Amino acid sequence: MKAALYTAYGPPSTIAFRDEPIPTPARGELLVRVRAAPVTAGDARMRSGKVPRGLGLMMRLALGLARPRIAPGFAFAGEVAALGPDATGFAEGQKVFGLKGFRGGAHRDYLTIPANGTVLPLPESLDFRTGAAFFFGGLTAAEFLIDRVRLQPGERLFVAGATGAVGSAAVQIGRHLGAHVTATASPANHPLARQLGAEAVSDYRDPPPPGPFDVILDVMGQLGWPGARPLLAPGGRLVLVTADLSQMLGAALRPKRDGRRILTGTNRDDLPAMRRLLDLHRAGGYTPALGPVLPFASLVQAHELAESFHKPGNIVVEMDAP
Ligand SMILES: NC(=O)c1ccc[n+]([C@@H]2O[C@H](COP(=O)([O-])OP(=O)(O)OC[C@H]3O[C@@H](n4cnc5c(N)ncnc54)[C@H](OP(=O)(O)O)[C@@H]3O)[C@@H](O)[C@H]2O)c1
């Protein structure tokens, strides 16, 4: 089988492929034949080592000093190819989707994962592509909007950067929660932003929409506190989905400013969070936006698109191992 690996921190060309034996599932594990996997902003950052200012050393301490000592691929959709001893809850041939998490290992033809880990049956309403695209942006948007800012029906939500993986999920979930959604995106993506549920859409290169907003989700950190402050209603909340170290420290030390709040951080990617997102999907509140779909052999090209930070929705690569 074919597996991708990172050879160094650097451009997409540092990704290599190698042939490996198909792994044997250990006790309690599933062997999954991967059919599709997303190539996310997170994958691009871990490969390139390019993270918001001040976070580089922390990232390298966690992932590897000289090169990423993790495997490519955060999430997957596929079929159970075999069950290890005592693995329960799944059947051979069953369609599944799940997360390998930040240590990776989904960009390969076959992977193993604990049957009681971050893997779920793929619902009929999703195919392998949308199953692969399901978790990355969805988990982030759901956690920030539902758990962190507790978005309420009727509130005014501004999603700045609304059509990538996180933004496209946030617009849908915000709308589903009963918020009025205003969005920014580049003009080519305005139809997508409206289709996802945004009521008003403008270009993020123009002056921002006037507000006031109860919640601002600043996906790329373009606005920051100085840009968002004049747009926030009293009691408003600003989420910096992309934040550098000084913004994170600033938000931790002084989260409340002028009666408004700043939130940063990362989201959980555990089974309860995955199940909650699936419930949102079943309730009609979220379906991942699918962008370019490429063959697994074009993983390098997929990384080039992912690190542009201008992709519509989610990029997915498809595996075609026999
Ligand atoms: N905190 C966390 O836990 C967490 C979790 C996931 C992701 N992230 C971070 O969140 C960011 C977005 O991730 P993603 O997967 O959604 O990326 P993505 O799919 O590449 O989407 C990026 C979005 O930002 C827009 N954009 C690009 N430049 C912009 C600018 N200068 N101002 C406003 N919008 C701009 C793009 O719009 P156009 O395509 O229309 O240009 C696109 O909609 C990344 O920095 C990622 O590392 C953080």
Side-chain angles (χ1 to χ4, degrees), residues 41-42 45 136 140 144 160-167 185-186 189 204 219-220 222 241-242 265-267 306 309-311 313:
R45 288 197 185 284
F136 181 76
T140 306
F144 277 119
T163 53
V166 176
S186 57
N189 288 326
Y204 53 73
V219 173
M220 292 303 296
Q222 175 215 14
V241 180
T242 304
T266 56
N267 60 276
F309 295 108
H310 291 291
K311 64 183 161 62

Short mmCIF file of all heavy atoms in Angstrom, two decimals, residues 41-42 45 136 140 144 160-167 185-186 189 204 219-220 222 241-242 265-267 306 309-311 313, ligand 1:
data_model
loop_
_atom_site.label_atom_id
_atom_site.label_comp_id
_atom_site.label_asym_id
_atom_site.label_seq_id
_atom_site.Cartn_x
_atom_site.Cartn_y
_atom_site.Cartn_z
N ALA A 41 -6.04 23.00 6.40
CA ALA A 41 -5.11 24.07 6.77
C ALA A 41 -4.13 23.55 7.83
O ALA A 41 -2.95 23.90 7.81
CB ALA A 41 -5.89 25.26 7.31
N GLY A 42 -4.62 22.70 8.73
CA GLY A 42 -3.76 22.13 9.75
C GLY A 42 -2.68 21.25 9.14
O GLY A 42 -1.51 21.31 9.54
N ARG A 45 -0.10 23.52 7.67
CA ARG A 45 0.75 24.19 8.69
C ARG A 45 1.75 23.21 9.29
O ARG A 45 2.91 23.57 9.54
CB ARG A 45 -0.14 24.77 9.79
CG ARG A 45 -0.93 26.01 9.36
CD ARG A 45 -1.43 26.75 10.58
NE ARG A 45 -2.30 27.87 10.25
CZ ARG A 45 -1.88 29.05 9.79
NH1 ARG A 45 -0.59 29.25 9.54
NH2 ARG A 45 -2.74 30.02 9.55
N PHE A 136 -13.01 18.53 10.16
CA PHE A 136 -12.01 19.56 10.47
C PHE A 136 -12.63 20.92 10.79
O PHE A 136 -12.56 21.41 11.92
CB PHE A 136 -10.97 19.68 9.35
CG PHE A 136 -9.91 20.70 9.65
CD1 PHE A 136 -8.90 20.42 10.55
CD2 PHE A 136 -9.94 21.95 9.06
CE1 PHE A 136 -7.93 21.37 10.86
CE2 PHE A 136 -8.98 22.91 9.36
CZ PHE A 136 -7.98 22.61 10.26
N THR A 140 -14.39 22.73 14.71
CA THR A 140 -13.91 24.04 15.17
C THR A 140 -15.08 25.02 15.29
O THR A 140 -15.26 25.68 16.32
CB THR A 140 -12.87 24.61 14.18
OG1 THR A 140 -11.85 23.64 14.00
CG2 THR A 140 -12.28 25.90 14.68
N PHE A 144 -16.54 26.58 18.90
CA PHE A 144 -16.49 28.02 19.20
C PHE A 144 -17.89 28.62 19.31
O PHE A 144 -18.17 29.38 20.25
CB PHE A 144 -15.65 28.77 18.16
CG PHE A 144 -14.17 28.71 18.44
CD1 PHE A 144 -13.29 28.14 17.55
CD2 PHE A 144 -13.66 29.24 19.62
CE1 PHE A 144 -11.92 28.09 17.82
CE2 PHE A 144 -12.30 29.19 19.90
CZ PHE A 144 -11.43 28.61 19.00
N ALA A 160 -15.98 36.35 9.31
CA ALA A 160 -14.99 36.99 8.43
C ALA A 160 -14.10 35.90 7.85
O ALA A 160 -13.31 35.29 8.56
CB ALA A 160 -14.16 38.00 9.23
N GLY A 161 -14.28 35.63 6.55
CA GLY A 161 -13.57 34.51 5.91
C GLY A 161 -14.50 33.30 5.92
O GLY A 161 -14.23 32.31 6.59
N ALA A 162 -15.60 33.41 5.15
CA ALA A 162 -16.76 32.54 5.42
C ALA A 162 -16.86 31.30 4.55
O ALA A 162 -17.80 30.53 4.72
CB ALA A 162 -18.04 33.36 5.25
N THR A 163 -15.94 31.06 3.65
CA THR A 163 -16.20 29.96 2.72
C THR A 163 -15.12 28.87 2.72
O THR A 163 -15.17 27.95 1.92
CB THR A 163 -16.38 30.49 1.27
OG1 THR A 163 -15.25 31.30 0.93
CG2 THR A 163 -17.65 31.29 1.15
N GLY A 164 -14.13 28.96 3.59
CA GLY A 164 -13.17 27.85 3.73
C GLY A 164 -13.76 26.79 4.65
O GLY A 164 -14.98 26.76 4.89
N ALA A 165 -12.91 25.91 5.16
CA ALA A 165 -13.42 24.79 5.96
C ALA A 165 -14.12 25.28 7.22
O ALA A 165 -15.25 24.88 7.52
CB ALA A 165 -12.26 23.86 6.32
N VAL A 166 -13.49 26.16 7.98
CA VAL A 166 -14.07 26.64 9.24
C VAL A 166 -15.24 27.58 8.95
O VAL A 166 -16.33 27.44 9.52
CB VAL A 166 -13.01 27.35 10.11
CG1 VAL A 166 -13.66 27.92 11.37
CG2 VAL A 166 -11.88 26.39 10.48
N GLY A 167 -15.03 28.54 8.06
CA GLY A 167 -16.05 29.55 7.79
C GLY A 167 -17.33 28.93 7.22
O GLY A 167 -18.44 29.29 7.63
N ALA A 185 -16.04 37.24 2.07
CA ALA A 185 -15.34 36.25 1.24
C ALA A 185 -14.84 36.98 0.02
O ALA A 185 -15.26 38.12 -0.25
CB ALA A 185 -16.31 35.14 0.83
N SER A 186 -13.95 36.36 -0.73
CA SER A 186 -13.56 36.98 -2.00
C SER A 186 -14.75 36.86 -2.96
O SER A 186 -15.58 35.95 -2.82
CB SER A 186 -12.32 36.30 -2.56
OG SER A 186 -12.55 34.93 -2.70
N ASN A 189 -16.43 33.73 -4.27
CA ASN A 189 -17.09 32.84 -3.30
C ASN A 189 -18.36 33.43 -2.71
O ASN A 189 -18.96 32.81 -1.83
CB ASN A 189 -16.11 32.48 -2.17
CG ASN A 189 -15.04 31.53 -2.65
OD1 ASN A 189 -15.29 30.68 -3.50
ND2 ASN A 189 -13.83 31.66 -2.13
N TYR A 204 -13.76 40.84 1.81
CA TYR A 204 -12.96 41.17 3.00
C TYR A 204 -11.87 42.20 2.71
O TYR A 204 -11.23 42.70 3.63
CB TYR A 204 -12.39 39.92 3.68
CG TYR A 204 -11.61 38.98 2.79
CD1 TYR A 204 -10.35 39.30 2.33
CD2 TYR A 204 -12.14 37.75 2.41
CE1 TYR A 204 -9.63 38.45 1.51
CE2 TYR A 204 -11.44 36.88 1.62
CZ TYR A 204 -10.18 37.23 1.16
OH TYR A 204 -9.49 36.38 0.35
N VAL A 219 -11.87 34.38 11.13
CA VAL A 219 -11.27 33.08 10.78
C VAL A 219 -9.76 33.19 10.56
O VAL A 219 -8.99 32.39 11.08
CB VAL A 219 -11.97 32.49 9.53
CG1 VAL A 219 -11.26 31.23 9.06
CG2 VAL A 219 -13.43 32.17 9.85
N MET A 220 -9.32 34.19 9.80
CA MET A 220 -7.89 34.30 9.52
C MET A 220 -7.21 35.32 10.44
O MET A 220 -6.05 35.65 10.25
CB MET A 220 -7.66 34.70 8.06
CG MET A 220 -8.06 33.63 7.04
SD MET A 220 -7.20 32.05 7.27
CE MET A 220 -5.50 32.49 6.96
N GLN A 222 -7.83 38.40 10.50
CA GLN A 222 -7.61 39.60 9.69
C GLN A 222 -7.98 40.87 10.46
O GLN A 222 -7.31 41.89 10.35
CB GLN A 222 -8.45 39.49 8.40
CG GLN A 222 -8.43 40.72 7.52
CD GLN A 222 -9.78 40.96 6.83
OE1 GLN A 222 -10.80 40.39 7.17
NE2 GLN A 222 -9.76 41.85 5.84
N VAL A 241 -10.04 32.80 15.47
CA VAL A 241 -9.78 31.38 15.15
C VAL A 241 -8.30 31.20 14.84
O VAL A 241 -7.68 30.21 15.23
CB VAL A 241 -10.65 30.93 13.95
CG1 VAL A 241 -10.38 29.46 13.62
CG2 VAL A 241 -12.13 31.13 14.25
N THR A 242 -7.72 32.17 14.16
CA THR A 242 -6.28 32.20 13.94
C THR A 242 -5.71 33.33 14.79
O THR A 242 -6.07 34.49 14.61
CB THR A 242 -5.96 32.49 12.45
OG1 THR A 242 -6.62 31.50 11.66
CG2 THR A 242 -4.47 32.45 12.18
N GLY A 265 -7.83 29.92 21.05
CA GLY A 265 -7.61 28.54 21.49
C GLY A 265 -7.86 27.54 20.39
O GLY A 265 -8.02 27.91 19.22
N THR A 266 -7.87 26.29 20.79
CA THR A 266 -8.11 25.22 19.82
C THR A 266 -9.35 24.45 20.25
O THR A 266 -9.85 24.64 21.36
CB THR A 266 -6.91 24.24 19.76
OG1 THR A 266 -6.69 23.75 21.08
CG2 THR A 266 -5.66 24.91 19.25
N ASN A 267 -9.80 23.59 19.36
CA ASN A 267 -11.01 22.84 19.68
C ASN A 267 -10.68 21.39 20.03
O ASN A 267 -9.62 20.88 19.66
CB ASN A 267 -12.00 22.89 18.51
CG ASN A 267 -11.42 22.30 17.26
OD1 ASN A 267 -10.72 22.98 16.53
ND2 ASN A 267 -11.68 21.03 17.01
N ALA A 306 -4.15 23.96 -0.29
CA ALA A 306 -4.52 24.15 1.13
C ALA A 306 -3.72 25.30 1.74
O ALA A 306 -4.25 26.06 2.55
CB ALA A 306 -4.29 22.87 1.91
N PHE A 309 -4.76 29.23 1.63
CA PHE A 309 -5.82 29.76 2.49
C PHE A 309 -6.89 30.49 1.68
O PHE A 309 -7.49 31.44 2.13
CB PHE A 309 -5.25 30.67 3.59
CG PHE A 309 -4.38 29.91 4.55
CD1 PHE A 309 -3.00 30.08 4.54
CD2 PHE A 309 -4.93 29.00 5.43
CE1 PHE A 309 -2.19 29.37 5.41
CE2 PHE A 309 -4.13 28.27 6.30
CZ PHE A 309 -2.76 28.46 6.29
N HIS A 310 -7.11 30.01 0.46
CA HIS A 310 -8.19 30.57 -0.37
C HIS A 310 -9.01 29.46 -0.99
O HIS A 310 -9.56 29.62 -2.07
CB HIS A 310 -7.62 31.47 -1.48
CG HIS A 310 -7.00 32.73 -0.96
ND1 HIS A 310 -7.74 33.74 -0.39
CD2 HIS A 310 -5.71 33.12 -0.88
CE1 HIS A 310 -6.92 34.72 0.00
NE2 HIS A 310 -5.68 34.37 -0.28
N LYS A 311 -9.08 28.32 -0.32
CA LYS A 311 -9.84 27.24 -0.95
C LYS A 311 -11.33 27.38 -0.61
O LYS A 311 -11.68 27.79 0.50
CB LYS A 311 -9.31 25.89 -0.52
CG LYS A 311 -9.45 25.57 0.95
CD LYS A 311 -8.81 24.22 1.23
CE LYS A 311 -8.47 23.98 2.66
NZ LYS A 311 -9.62 23.99 3.55
N GLY A 313 -14.43 25.74 0.72
CA GLY A 313 -14.77 24.54 1.48
C GLY A 313 -13.54 23.70 1.80
O GLY A 313 -12.50 24.21 2.19
N1 LIG B 1 -8.20 27.56 16.50
C1 LIG B 1 -8.39 26.38 16.01
O1 LIG B 1 -8.66 25.40 16.71
C2 LIG B 1 -8.36 26.19 14.50
C3 LIG B 1 -8.96 25.07 13.94
C4 LIG B 1 -8.97 24.97 12.55
C5 LIG B 1 -8.35 25.94 11.78
N2 LIG B 1 -7.73 26.97 12.37
C6 LIG B 1 -7.09 28.02 11.56
O2 LIG B 1 -8.14 28.73 10.95
C7 LIG B 1 -7.71 29.25 9.71
C8 LIG B 1 -8.72 28.87 8.63
O3 LIG B 1 -8.74 27.47 8.46
P1 LIG B 1 -9.61 26.89 7.26
O4 LIG B 1 -9.42 25.44 7.27
O5 LIG B 1 -10.98 27.44 7.30
O6 LIG B 1 -8.84 27.55 6.03
P2 LIG B 1 -9.31 27.67 4.52
O7 LIG B 1 -10.26 26.55 4.23
O8 LIG B 1 -8.10 27.83 3.70
O9 LIG B 1 -10.18 29.02 4.49
C9 LIG B 1 -9.61 30.27 4.66
C10 LIG B 1 -10.71 31.29 4.49
O10 LIG B 1 -10.22 32.57 4.83
C11 LIG B 1 -10.52 33.48 3.79
N3 LIG B 1 -9.43 34.45 3.73
C12 LIG B 1 -8.21 34.33 3.17
N4 LIG B 1 -7.50 35.45 3.39
C13 LIG B 1 -8.30 36.28 4.12
C14 LIG B 1 -8.15 37.60 4.64
N5 LIG B 1 -7.03 38.30 4.47
N6 LIG B 1 -9.19 38.13 5.31
C15 LIG B 1 -10.33 37.45 5.50
N7 LIG B 1 -10.53 36.21 5.02
C16 LIG B 1 -9.53 35.65 4.33
C17 LIG B 1 -10.67 32.67 2.53
O11 LIG B 1 -11.56 33.33 1.66
P3 LIG B 1 -11.41 33.29 0.03
O12 LIG B 1 -11.14 31.86 -0.33
O13 LIG B 1 -12.74 33.77 -0.43
O14 LIG B 1 -10.26 34.18 -0.31
C18 LIG B 1 -11.27 31.38 3.08
O15 LIG B 1 -12.64 31.48 3.21
C19 LIG B 1 -6.31 28.72 9.47
O16 LIG B 1 -5.39 29.71 9.87
C20 LIG B 1 -6.23 27.53 10.41
O17 LIG B 1 -4.92 27.23 10.78
C21 LIG B 1 -7.72 27.13 13.72
#
